Amino acid sequence: MTSGTTPTPRTTLALKPGTAWQDAWHRCLAAAPEAFQDDRVLNLWAATWQRDGRVLPVTTPVDGTPIAGPPRLDAPTATQAVRAALDQHRAWRHIPLPERRARVAATLDALTEHRELLALLLVWEIGKPWRLAQTDVDRAIDGVRWYVDNIDRMLTDRTSLPGPVSNIASWNYPMSVLVHAMLVQALAGNAVIAKAPTDGGVACLTLACALAAREGVPLTLVSGSGGELSEALVRSPEIGCVSFVGGRDTGARIATAVADLGKRHILEQEGLNTWGIWNHTDWDALGAVVPKLFDYGKQRCTAYPRFVVQRSAFDAFLAAYLPAVRALRVGHPLAVADPADPLPALDFGPLINAAKAEELADQVAEAIDRGAVPLHRAAASPADGHFLPGQDTSAYLHPVTLLNPPPSSPLHHAEPFGPVDTIVLVDTEAELLAAMNASNGALVATLSTDDPATYERLAPQIRAFKVGHGVPRSRGDREELFGGFGGSWRGAFVGGELLVRAVTEGPPGERLPGNFPDYHLMP
């Protein structure tokens, strides 16, 4: 140690008062006693909160301590729930639109009242930092309000589906994707069924559904394994539409089932979203956006885990990229140095569980063994992060960047769904396009190039639903449309008016914009 210097003592962090899991749980018991009991959440079906299903032990990814688990139903009970939802659907479709609008609007008011509790549940259940958890809640509320204000014109000459909409969604956006979709589907005249994601979010969804059910919105919320409940939630003749958000393997099985049945479907699946760099010099703009690309540890369907970089610009790219990724803040989302401090402004917290963190760490190690070059690996010691003393950090993975992952590695061709970036170097435009299209379709992509004409020429050849010019693209809100190319999407596109069209019936012979087995139609 240099003479005369003294190491700065590390501040001991503590959980911010009032934010413990038990604090959130007691607030749920007070806010919705019909849906929460001392030891568990309940399932909602046949317009009644039911104490059924086998509750599995669950721990929070934040620090590994126990939280409420999903009460998993068996297949026969799920079938009963679907049949009950059909009865609700037949009644709800005849409720006049002004009444449906009033009930959904009242639900939004209730969600707004409990905004902070819903966000706190997201922190504990799926590890979202406080800012992102609040954003997830706000996007659900604000997005559905836009539909409440605009639904009249969207339903002109349209009717509800013959049966309820069945939703099977991933755990990463319980409010802004799942609850948002459910309330719009109900506003359009459908009863709605949702399976709580197995990996997290059941308490948040239970509270949101309890607030909606009080207003008479016909929601069903059940828990269980996808394999056991698939027959009821996907193949039941009562189901009018299947809406799925998740991985390609499960999505492919559902796609086969709904195609066989000729059933309306919306299947959002993963794709390798890429960011291309070609004849680009605005490195300050790129460096500024890199931290935002790591929001929620890249556990997002619109994350960018792959950079495709012109070889001659690689040194300039690294000079902009590495300082930005080294500045990322990772840690416990509710830990503070002083009780009066605001909650920390982190880029991300844990991954969804310790198993996912271990899987990704193993994939990184294997890729390096097979030839990938590690360009950045952040310190993984708890002492180097924003953590509580002695807390379990097994679900945390610090940022990693690899150059040229080998073709044998899953990181070469699949979305990692975690804070792992991969970089591929290219020398020609043809190589650039081939690398950006590596996953046979994606949801979003971006091309950074100084020349607008180059962007206009290359962007249509990138197989992504949305392509940004030097800026990231997202799922979008309100009137913005959303879908995917290739294997990243099956069925009807959504967003704006298309979401309502996807869950209603129009004139005979109507062809919805989407990616269907027998046609692909862009909006």
Side-chain angles (χ1 to χ4, degrees):
M1 181 180 298
T2 303
S3 175
T5 63
T6 303
T8 302
R10 186 172 184 270
T11 303
T12 300
L13 302 179
L15 197 65
K16 186 173 177 66
T19 65
W21 168 255
Q22 286 304 319
D23 295 322
W25 185 253
H26 289 309
R27 289 169 66 184
C28 289
L29 291 172
E34 70 272 29
F36 294 84
Q37 295 188 348
D38 288 341
D39 60 339
R40 60 179 290 168
V41 300
L42 305 183
N43 287 299
L44 172 63
W45 59 276
T48 305
W49 290 97
Q50 315 266 4
R51 186 182 170 90
D52 50 15
R54 180 170 60 95
V55 180
L56 296 183
V58 170
T59 58
T60 170
V62 172
D63 62 10
T65 55
I67 59 173
R72 295 159 66 101
L73 293 183
D74 57 23
T77 308
T79 299
Q80 292 182 55
V82 169
R83 290 172 180 164
L86 178 61
D87 292 338
Q88 289 181 293
H89 181 84
R90 288 170 171 164
W92 177 253
R93 66 187 303 181
H94 297 296
I95 298 292
L97 178 57
E99 177 65 19
R100 299 202 306 266
R101 187 193 300 113
R103 294 190 192 184
V104 173
T107 299
L108 298 178
D109 291 341
L111 293 174
T112 302
E113 179 184 350
H114 294 281
R115 169 182 180 265
E116 291 200 353
L117 176 54
L118 291 162
L120 184 57
L121 293 170
L122 291 180
V123 174
W124 280 112
E125 292 193 281
I126 61 174
K128 283 204 169 182
W130 182 241
R131 172 181 62 85
L132 298 178
Q134 290 179 301
T135 299
D136 194 17
V137 177
D138 291 343
R139 286 182 63 186
I141 296 170
D142 296 342
V144 179
R145 282 199 193 281
W146 181 82
Y147 281 94
V148 169
D149 293 340
N150 291 277
I151 191 64
D152 287 34
R153 63 176 175 82
M154 297 183 193
L155 288 179
T156 301
D157 298 325
R158 304 195 69 83
T159 60
S160 60
L161 296 173
V165 181
S166 177
N167 294 269
I168 303 170
S170 60
W171 43 266
N172 53 343
Y173 284 92
M175 292 295 298
S176 63
V177 173
L178 182 51
V179 170
H180 176 280
M182 293 168 68
L183 292 179
V184 175
Q185 292 161 7
L187 184 63
N190 304 290
V192 179
I193 305 167
K195 187 183 89 66
T198 303
D199 287 328
V202 65
C204 178
L205 287 169
T206 298
L207 177 59
C209 288
L211 299 174
R214 286 179 180 177
E215 304 301 335
V217 180
L219 305 185
T220 294
L221 179 66
V222 295
S223 296
S225 74
E228 187 163 11
L229 302 192
S230 178
E231 189 70 22
L233 300 183
V234 174
R235 301 189 67 91
S236 288
E238 293 89 349
I239 298 296
C241 175
V242 176
S243 177
F244 168 82
V245 180
R248 287 197 179 185
D249 289 344
T250 303
R253 290 192 292 271
I254 292 176
T256 299
V258 295
D260 290 346
L261 298 168
K263 196 182 295 289
R264 184 76 61 88
H265 56 284
I266 307 161
L267 310 181
E268 176 187 330
Q269 302 168 166
E270 64 188 10
L272 185 62
N273 305 319
T274 58
W275 193 300
I277 309 287
W278 189 259
N279 293 341
H280 174 76
T281 59
D282 190 356
W283 301 112
D284 288 342
L286 181 70
V289 81
V290 166
K292 299 181 179 124
L293 302 182
F294 277 87
D295 273 356
Y296 195 34
K298 301 210 172 192
Q299 297 176 107
R300 299 174 288 119
C301 65
T302 54
Y304 288 81
R306 168 68 51 79
F307 286 93
V308 181
V309 182
Q310 188 174 16
R311 190 183 305 273
S312 60
F314 186 43
D315 56 341
F317 170 83
L318 285 184
Y321 173 88
L322 288 176
V325 76
R326 286 170 181 152
L328 294 171
R329 295 191 68 206
V330 181
H332 192 304
L334 303 172
V336 294
D338 184 275
D341 287 347
L343 290 171
L346 302 173
D347 294 290
F348 60 94
L351 300 193
I352 187 58
N353 51 48
K356 178 61 179 180
E358 182 179 13
E359 173 192 302
L360 263 184
D362 289 345
Q363 289 180 0
V364 167
E366 182 181 54
I368 293 172
D369 286 344
R370 296 181 179 180
V373 179
L375 298 177
H376 174 75
R377 280 188 283 185
S381 168
D384 298 318
H386 186 90
F387 298 107
L388 301 180
Q391 81 160 80
D392 183 335
T393 60
S394 59
Y396 293 78
L397 182 71
H398 291 256
V400 176
T401 306
L402 301 178
L403 174 65
N404 289 337
S408 59
S409 168
L411 297 176
H412 179 81
H413 54 79
E415 181 181 13
F417 231 63
V420 178
D421 274 350
T422 57
I423 300 173
V424 173
L425 302 182
V426 296
D427 297 298
T428 67
E429 289 185 358
E431 289 179 298
L432 174 82
L433 292 170
M436 293 190 71
N437 293 330
S439 68
N440 181 32
L443 303 175
V444 297
T446 291
L447 178 62
S448 288
T449 181
D450 294 344
D451 180 23
T454 298
Y455 173 81
E456 294 298 329
R457 179 167 50 81
L458 296 180
Q461 301 177 67
I462 299 171
R463 289 183 54 75
F465 189 79
K466 297 180 180 180
V467 180
H469 186 184
V471 296
R473 299 304 307 270
S474 68
R475 206 174 197 277
D477 294 303
R478 301 175 177 85
E479 69 272 17
E480 190 170 353
L481 309 181
F482 193 57
F485 276 115
S488 68
W489 197 280
R490 306 288 184 188
F493 294 149
V494 295
E497 184 177 354
L498 292 190
L499 175 54
V500 173
R501 291 175 65 184
V503 295
T504 55
E505 292 194 323
E510 178 183 45
R511 285 161 56 95
L512 295 174
N515 186 18
F516 294 92
D518 54 344
Y519 74 88
H520 179 94
L521 178 63
M522 290 296 293

